[in-house]
Amino acid sequence: MEFEMLHGLGTELLDSLNQQGFSTREYIVYGPEWWLYVINRIAEHPERVLEAIADIGPLV
């Protein structure tokens, strides 16, 4: 079984799964349609916006 996640979302979970021996992949969206892809993912799970912001950490 393989787990994939968009870069910046749940990296701790992905690291944990990898340490347990699962195949993992973290991917980054790019190309001319990248913003449309991001907006669609946000529409599917709006709560993940807060998770992504929290993953960035303090800006100070």
Side-chain angles (χ1 to χ4, degrees):
M1 184 178 302
E2 181 175 285
F3 295 90
E4 296 181 356
M5 287 187 178
L6 184 60
H7 178 72
L9 297 178
T11 54
E12 291 175 1
L13 174 59
L14 200 62
D15 291 343
S16 173
L17 290 167
N18 187 268
Q19 290 173 358
Q20 294 175 42
F22 291 102
S23 179
T24 61
R25 186 179 307 183
E26 188 172 12
Y27 63 100
I28 299 173
V29 180
Y30 63 94
E33 303 284 328
W34 72 271
W35 187 243
L36 181 59
Y37 178 86
V38 170
I39 294 299
N40 284 327
R41 299 296 77 79
I42 290 171
E44 290 174 355
H45 300 281
E47 70 280 3
R48 291 190 176 168
V49 172
L50 297 177
E51 293 174 17
I53 292 169
D55 281 348
I56 293 171
L59 298 175
V60 179

